[in-house]
């Protein structure tokens, strides 16, 4: 019984990863550091590999350019490797938003729903896009409520 509790605690600890925000995206620090190291190693490794290989059969003035291309190829290979190694770990769920929920969201963002609806109403392009998305009516109810 006690070992089962310890096992459950360990599973909870490993399943709760600490995330950080970098450039507006939420990531696991270990994964981002691993991806950076992999990319740097492959791109710099490709560059220096080119510096040692290309002088044997390329013109001297082209060695730097060819090496740079090999370094860029290393970066692309690093991108492919990291994309396959580190899959997204977030689970996104969608919920239908009611006019009350939309009003709450706008107020939490410190936006006046009435003012936003007035801006949308006067802009035909934005109004058309919102109609196509099916959210204009919800926005209209939310914007009209705070008069």
């Amino acid at each position: 019984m006690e070992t089962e509790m310890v096992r459950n605690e360990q599973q909870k600890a490993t399943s709760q990863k600490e995330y950080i925000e970098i450039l507006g995206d939420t990531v696991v620090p270990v994964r981002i550091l691993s991806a950076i190291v992999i990319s740097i190693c492959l791109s710099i490794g490709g560059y220096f590999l080119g510096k040692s290989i290309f002088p044997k059969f390329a013109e001297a003035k082209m060695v730097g350019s060819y090496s740079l291309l090999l370094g860029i190829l290393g970066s692309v290979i690093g991108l492919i490797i990291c994309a396959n190694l580190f899959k997204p770990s977030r689970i996104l769920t969608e919920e239908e938003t009611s006019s009350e929920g939309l009003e709450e969201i706008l107020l939490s963002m410190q936006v006046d729903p009435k003012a936003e609806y007035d801006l949308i109403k006067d802009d035909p392009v934005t109004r058309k896009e919102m109609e196509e998305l099916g959210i204009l009516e919800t926005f209209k109810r939310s914007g009209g409520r705070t008069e």
Side-chain angles (χ1 to χ4, degrees), residues 85-108:
L85 280 179
F86 308 116
K87 302 287 184 195
S89 58
R90 295 177 293 199
I91 299 173
L92 301 177
T93 57
E94 293 184 24
E95 296 177 6
E96 190 169 324
T97 305
S98 64
S99 58
E100 294 85 17
L102 181 61
E103 187 174 346
E104 257 181 57
I105 292 169
L106 290 173
L107 290 175
S108 72

